[in-house]
Amino acid sequence: MSARTTERPQVRPPGAWAFPEPDEHQLPNGLRLLVLDLPGQHVLSVRVALTLPVSSEVPGTEGSTLLMARALDEGTARHTSEELAELTERHGIAWGAGAGERGVHLGVEVTGRHLGTALEVLTECLAEATFPDTEVARLARHRLADIAHDDADPGARASLQFVRTYFDERDRPHTPLGGDRDSVASLTPEHLRERHAALSPVGGTVVLVGDLSTTPDAVRTVAATLGGWAGQARPPGPPGPARRAATAGRVVLVPRPGLAQTELYLGRPGPDRRTPHGWGTYQALGMLLGGSPHARIDRVLREERGWTYGVRAGFRPRAVGGLTVVGGSVRADATAPALEELLQILSVPGAGLGEAEVRAAADFVARTAPGRYGTADAVADELVALLSDGLGPRTVTETLEQLRTLTVEQVAAAWDEVLAGPPWTVVLVGDPGYAEGLADLGLGPVSVVG
Amino acid sequence: MPLSYPVHATTLPNGLRVVVSEDHAVPTVSLTLWVDVGSRHEVSGRTGLAHLFEHLMFQGSELVAEGEHMSSLMAQGGRANATTSFDRTAYVESVPTGALELALWLEGDRHGHLLPALTQENLDNQRDVVVEEKRQRYDTVPYGSALEHACRLVFPEDHPYHHTTIGSMADLAAATLDDTHAFFRAHYGPTTTVLSVVGDVSPTEVLALADRHLGHLQDATVPRPGRTAPLPPLAGTPSLDVVDDVPSERLYLCFRLPAVTDPAFLPCAMAMDALASLSVSRLQLRLLRREESVSGVSASALGLVDGTSMGLLVLDVSDGVDPALVETAVHEELVALGREGPSEAELEASRADTERSWLEALAGFDERADLLARATAVFGDPEQVNRYLDDVVAVTADQVREAAAHWLQPGAAATIRYRRGATASTPLPDEVLATAGAVR
């Protein structure tokens, strides 16, 4: 039996690593193609991002972009919905479709030998989707069921109430990306066809990542499929405004009598990824405030008080500006003291942040990067997110370089800027019996919504 | 298609099994310590202890301060986590290659020398955190009690799977510091543990480091419980109606299945696929797409080691539809699958989906380490990760039909019906009611 080593081992410095750089191709129809060979990644990840901001939806049809994206594989000129399902599933093709602030994103996971089929189906859906009445009606009903489920989930309910409270009602972000009950219920196949007709390859991005050793013709295959899709000649413009409501500095309680925990959701203005402070600065800030059980928040609320399973903090970038967000659930009878303690923790000025915690947080973000980007899907997701946001593939590597030399002063300045901005919008979902004292926390007026 | 992930397995003199898969794609290493202790190892009156240890293992050990395990790894770019299930507790880390030795040293300290740091204060605090975890994950979300109800209906009262991993809050409240110390000694030791390492390191280096930091661990564990006799398919169609404030009326049909190591398990899992997991599955085609009597349907085969596994069919009933009609339709399809077997499309889609999702799971170091540890601990052979897809392809339509006919018939289902109503009228387990405030 070996003897015990009581001396703590030294850590060797991390090995060199850079975010992998894809090859870039311009397809004749205006799509930009990024291809990255990652040996050993036997499932290939394909991503397509097309400009179609939800802010360009006709008022009253909010959610039409998301429903259109979801209905792309529900019938084409050549195949019915069921035929498409069989075609994709017999080839093990996993398909995803969504919508965001800037537009539509489609994703496919597929083994190398079925890449050709996957790209053909993807192209057929983009070019020839027909949006049959029965399928659209079914998807709309499912979306309404999803909305009901979101309303019943305290975390999802809090986030819905937050956008309603925080964003100016004149702007699209005031309404959930997927629309609300009224707008979704009114959607027709014609609404979806109109959104579909506005899709353009120009300014769009295709990303293909994975082990390409068995698909040497991958670029030609993409060019022959997605590259042949015509679409609209000109893409729609950039996303509309996302202004903060003049009344956002307040507290809103969504009553849920008897709920064993209260969901807390706090938000205020934050940066976008082009911030002069550097995006990495905010990644480190999020970590040291609310990124782990020993971060500033959970060190107290979880580990000292036992009031929560975890409260997280972070930053959500948008096209212009973004959000600082803090959220989690706390024991119902500790609602007021937990919120008070949380606000106290978050009020720490930049000068109160320490050298050691900044270094640890920055090192964590920088040194976890190789592991975070170890799979084809993670690399593809990052690439498409960067390019959709107008940034280049080198952004990750540049952010990591910034993190290596990040100073406590830089982080302090970034946090002070957040604190100097407009105050918190606070949403609580929980038992109103534990809401006493909220008005005394200096968070502005308290209102209760159904 | 046979897979060829390199696998190097060995056992240290103290009984610790070590399995290594070298891969230099990125300069990191992922490791899993898979401990053969889960909720099935708990005794009546002391449930929830296995999961509580998942928390206590981060509260410090003889040479490591409270919270330091995680913070010292994170400062090096490491991530650490742990999960507990019916059968095992898994401790996982992902670190830059140069921090592997630190990770193994930290693991050696907590897996061998936890008790000096396991104090009443730590116990009390983490008990509170677990109560909040239960509230967040089970008590405050719709249908959060479903798995607990399913286990009670599917497994008899004295069965190891009759209770779920979160356990009873009354049991946790009653657990003494001595109970927790005894539980740790009984279950944590080199012979009950598999170390799996995947990534930028050679088997030789791993073995040297594992020997240096885990080779001294001594074993004081009690013998693993013998396997419980396999249970036959359910009889008597037990059911439970739960009236609650839920967004949709929902049905759970719960089945007993063979143990995950039984060759009959895989055909059952593929029968669940044919029923509901895929868009081409019969319940999706009929109920979701054509009749539109449900807004969602899914199936899962929860593979368990102790004699009997569990299969679940979950259906969200569309507004305005009588759930009884949905139940009848499901019964018809269960009978049809047992009589005629899967369609060609269902079988081919199940194979193709399993292939892609297995390869996706193996794509990252973390999950590959987890699957290698599972293969070693559960199947007794790490090469199972390379063989699994061949096993899937070898399953015939007739085997799927037989599996459905034996295990997945209407008479073998336990049914939970969530009905919409203003208040929870379900008889919550006594011990949960009894302690709603006891642990505060």
Side-chain angles (χ1 to χ4, degrees), chain A residues 226-374:
Chain A
L226 288 167
W229 166 54
Q232 188 61 245
R234 271 194 319 169
R243 289 166 288 193
R244 177 178 177 274
T247 57
R250 61 194 175 108
V251 182
V252 176
L253 171 68
V254 182
R256 287 282 184 274
L259 205 64
Q261 287 185 323
T262 299
E263 189 77 31
L264 304 178
Y265 195 111
L266 287 71
R268 64 196 299 167
D272 59 48
R273 291 188 72 151
R274 283 158 289 275
T275 168
H277 294 285
W279 180 242
T281 309
Y282 289 92
Q283 288 179 299
L285 248 180
M287 274 309 301
L288 73 86
L289 290 172
S292 76
H294 59 269
R296 278 183 174 251
I297 295 172
D298 273 352
R299 196 188 308 155
V300 178
L301 295 192
R302 174 182 151 125
E303 296 298 314
E304 276 177 33
R305 309 282 191 201
W307 284 340
T308 180
Y309 182 46
V311 172
R312 295 279 170 265
F315 299 89
R316 303 249 175 89
R318 300 183 61 88
V320 177
L323 286 171
T324 303
V325 171
V326 180
S329 51
V330 298
R331 205 171 85 189
D333 64 358
T335 300
L339 180 58
E340 192 172 359
E341 189 114 36
L342 177 59
L343 291 164
Q344 180 67 34
I345 294 165
L346 292 170
S347 69
V348 62
L353 302 177
E355 182 81 40
E357 63 184 330
V358 164
R359 183 71 349 242
D363 284 349
F364 176 79
V365 178
R367 294 180 183 179
T368 48
R372 273 185 281 134
Y373 299 117

Side-chain angles (χ1 to χ4, degrees), chain A residues 158-181:
Chain A
S159 128
L160 286 170
Q161 190 59 44
F162 177 80
V163 298
R164 241 170 257 169
T165 311
Y166 179 87
F167 288 110
D168 192 308
E169 62 184 11
R170 294 167 297 174
D171 295 344
R172 178 61 180 84
H174 180 76
T175 306
L177 260 171
D180 57 24
R181 259 193 203 89

Side-chain angles (χ1 to χ4, degrees), chain B residues 33-379:
Chain B
L33 276 97
W34 176 293
V35 185
D36 186 8
V37 58
S39 56
R40 83 174 177 97
H41 298 86
E42 295 162 352
V43 295
S44 177
R46 287 293 176 271
T47 64
L49 282 181
H51 170 254
L52 180 65
F53 267 91
E54 174 201 320
H55 287 252
L56 294 173
M57 289 284 273
F58 288 93
Q59 299 307 112
S61 45
E62 192 173 31
L63 301 175
V64 179
E66 181 184 333
E68 197 186 1
H69 181 99
M70 190 176 273
S71 61
S72 62
L73 286 173
M74 285 180 73
Q76 301 296 337
R79 289 173 290 125
N81 204 350
T83 57
T84 313
S85 72
F86 293 97
D87 291 329
R88 97 293 183 268
T89 309
Y91 297 89
V92 299
E93 268 122 37
S94 169
V95 292
T97 310
L100 172 63
E101 183 167 9
L102 174 64
L104 289 171
W105 180 83
L106 289 164
E107 290 295 7
D109 202 55
R110 69 176 179 178
H111 281 263
H113 316 278
L114 182 81
L115 297 183
L118 178 41
T119 61
Q120 189 67 44
E121 191 189 355
N122 279 334
L123 174 61
D124 290 343
N125 169 266
Q126 289 307 305
R127 233 177 342 211
D128 286 351
V129 172
V130 169
V131 170
E132 294 316 309
E133 177 179 358
K134 178 173 183 292
R135 286 176 175 155
Q136 180 176 323
R137 298 175 65 172
Y138 305 100
D139 299 348
T140 61
V141 291
Y143 324 106
S145 56
L147 187 66
E148 188 175 353
H149 291 313
C151 288
R152 286 167 174 267
L153 289 177
V154 168
F155 299 104
E157 189 148 357
D158 56 352
H159 195 279
Y161 296 141
H162 185 72
H163 73 279
T164 53
T165 50
I166 195 77
S168 143
M169 298 301 104
D171 287 357
L172 277 188
T176 65
L177 192 60
D178 283 349
D179 290 334
T180 60
H181 280 229
F183 189 88
F184 181 80
R185 281 193 215 96
H187 297 294
Y188 281 77
T191 63
T192 60
T193 304
V194 171
L195 167 67
S196 162
V197 179
V198 172
D200 179 32
V201 63
S202 73
T204 315
E205 290 170 87
V206 172
L207 285 181
L209 292 175
D211 186 55
R212 188 178 311 155
H213 298 299
L214 297 160
H216 73 280
L217 300 192
Q218 294 180 17
D219 206 289
T221 59
V222 299
R224 298 296 85 195
R227 291 287 156 94
T228 308
L231 298 169
L234 269 171
T237 60
S239 70
L240 176 71
D241 284 15
V242 182
V243 180
D244 204 352
D245 182 16
V246 286
S248 303
E249 306 217 310
R250 181 179 276 191
L251 297 170
Y252 287 81
L253 277 80
C254 320
F255 302 89
R256 291 179 184 161
L257 301 179
V260 69
T261 48
D262 187 323
F265 177 77
L266 195 47
C268 286
M270 293 172 80
M272 301 296 287
D273 274 357
L275 280 167
S277 304
L278 302 154
S279 299
V280 300
S281 307
R282 58 195 59 208
L283 291 176
Q284 292 223 8
L285 287 180
R286 175 173 168 183
L287 303 183
L288 192 75
R289 285 174 177 267
R290 295 173 190 164
E291 297 177 3
E292 295 194 44
S293 54
V294 303
S295 61
V297 53
S298 64
S300 55
L302 185 61
L304 301 170
V305 301
D306 200 5
T308 309
S309 298
M310 183 158 66
L312 294 172
L313 280 178
V314 188
L315 302 107
D316 278 326
V317 180
S318 299
D319 280 354
V321 172
D322 181 357
L325 296 177
V326 173
E327 216 174 311
T328 304
V330 174
H331 290 177
E332 287 168 6
E333 296 303 331
L334 292 170
V335 170
L337 185 66
R339 200 174 49 223
E340 294 144 23
S343 70
E344 208 186 302
E346 286 170 334
L347 189 63
E348 194 179 339
S350 172
R351 287 176 180 154
D353 185 71
T354 307
E355 181 195 22
R356 193 210 62 254
S357 46
W358 188 250
L359 291 172
E360 283 180 293
L362 290 169
F365 291 177
D366 292 358
E367 211 163 339
R368 204 184 308 160
D370 177 67
L371 289 172
L372 275 170
R374 173 179 177 267
T376 307
V378 173
F379 293 91

Side-chain angles (χ1 to χ4, degrees), chain A residues 17-19 283 365-367 369-370 372-373 395-405:
Chain A
W17 180 87
F19 188 78
Q283 288 179 299
V365 178
R367 294 180 183 179
R372 273 185 281 134
Y373 299 117
T395 306
V396 174
T397 304
E398 286 160 4
T399 303
L400 298 182
E401 283 161 7
Q402 187 223 335
L403 280 162
R404 285 192 192 103
T405 55

